[in-house]
Amino acid sequence: MELKQLKIFQVAARELNFTRTAEILHYAQSSVTAQVKSLEEELAVQLFDRLGKRVILTDAGKRFKLYTDKVLDLTEEAKETVGGSEEPSGTLTICASETQCTYRLPGDYRNIFEASLVDAAVQPLYDLELGDIEAIKKCVMAGIGIAALPKLAVEKEIEEGSMSVLRWKGPEFPIVTQLVWHKDKWVSPALSAFLDVTREVILDHYGD
């Protein structure tokens, strides 16, 4: 069992597409298929179900993926620890909601806005809930209604004149963004550098 095989399996398990896996890793598709087959033969178990052009993980494949991730993470940790490089390097996996990634918008923003309208004795004729900020902006620009959006999300539209700001006289909306990681997670140089930069950006833009 080689690290190359484990990496191919890891990407294939994520993409569930051998062609896409080959493109990402810059291998021929036949090489990806052969490496997966060789791994299955060594383990004496089928890791993928081939359903026409689709592939899905078997139960054994799902269990093996857990160990594959651990082995590759430890391998990366070992290389970074003994590699002797002073510059942070490696792969970071950052999980966040789509709106967090795009505009740093908390999930309870809408609820706070609606509660403020109730306190002000304002009753909307109707409300429309969308999960995509771009779709919300298009609805506002089409004259369908108003929306509470972070300034960062609408700066371009305000500058162009396609949207305008309604001065809000209600309470301010508290916004909290948190960084969390597992207590047993090894903080690699790359992750440490990311955390430092993130703290600096937050302090520079939002203060203490």
Side-chain angles (χ1 to χ4, degrees):
M1 189 180 303
E2 301 177 0
L3 290 177
K4 175 183 176 180
Q5 292 176 312
L6 295 182
K7 185 61 180 177
I8 289 175
F9 169 76
Q10 184 186 57
V11 176
R14 183 186 71 222
E15 299 295 327
L16 296 179
N17 185 304
F18 287 175
T19 300
R20 178 61 181 153
T21 298
E23 292 174 352
I24 292 173
L25 297 176
H26 304 291
Y27 292 144
Q29 182 178 341
S30 58
S31 177
V32 169
T33 303
Q35 292 293 342
V36 171
K37 182 175 177 58
S38 175
L39 194 56
E40 289 177 323
E41 291 175 350
E42 182 175 351
L43 295 170
V45 67
Q46 188 167 323
L47 300 173
F48 292 96
D49 278 327
R50 281 77 165 172
L51 306 176
K53 294 183 179 181
R54 296 177 56 245
V55 294
I56 60 174
L57 282 173
T58 62
D59 288 339
K62 292 176 182 178
R63 292 194 300 271
F64 185 66
K65 183 180 182 299
L66 298 176
Y67 291 98
T68 297
D69 291 341
K70 289 180 181 179
V71 170
L72 293 177
D73 283 346
L74 285 172
T75 301
E76 187 67 24
E77 178 181 332
K79 288 193 296 184
E80 292 181 2
T81 301
V82 302
S85 174
E86 295 181 359
E87 291 295 325
S89 61
T91 301
L92 283 177
T93 301
I94 303 170
C95 300
S97 66
E98 179 184 358
T99 47
Q100 272 282 4
C101 290
T102 308
Y103 295 116
R104 194 176 176 265
L105 175 67
D108 61 352
Y109 203 69
R110 180 176 181 269
N111 293 334
I112 297 174
F113 178 60
E114 290 181 344
S116 298
L117 292 179
V118 172
D119 292 340
V122 175
Q123 180 61 48
L125 295 177
Y126 59 88
D127 58 32
L128 177 64
E129 184 172 353
L130 299 172
D132 181 81
I133 286 184
E134 292 302 316
I136 295 174
K137 292 196 295 184
K138 290 185 182 302
C139 287
V140 172
M141 288 187 286
I144 294 177
I146 65 173
L149 293 171
K151 182 180 178 181
L152 179 63
V154 294
E155 285 181 337
K156 179 181 178 182
E157 288 76 12
I158 292 174
E159 183 179 348
E160 294 174 344
S162 56
M163 295 181 71
S164 59
V165 178
L166 298 177
R167 300 301 175 186
W168 178 253
K169 297 181 180 180
E172 293 185 0
F173 296 167
I175 299 176
V176 178
T177 298
Q178 296 179 318
L179 289 170
V180 296
W181 57 91
H182 194 282
K183 62 183 180 64
D184 297 328
K185 170 69 176 176
W186 175 67
V187 180
S188 67
L191 177 55
S192 179
F194 170 77
L195 294 175
D196 289 342
V197 170
T198 302
R199 292 188 186 100
E200 290 178 8
V201 170
I202 290 176
L203 290 176
D204 287 345
H205 286 78
Y206 307 104
D208 296 332

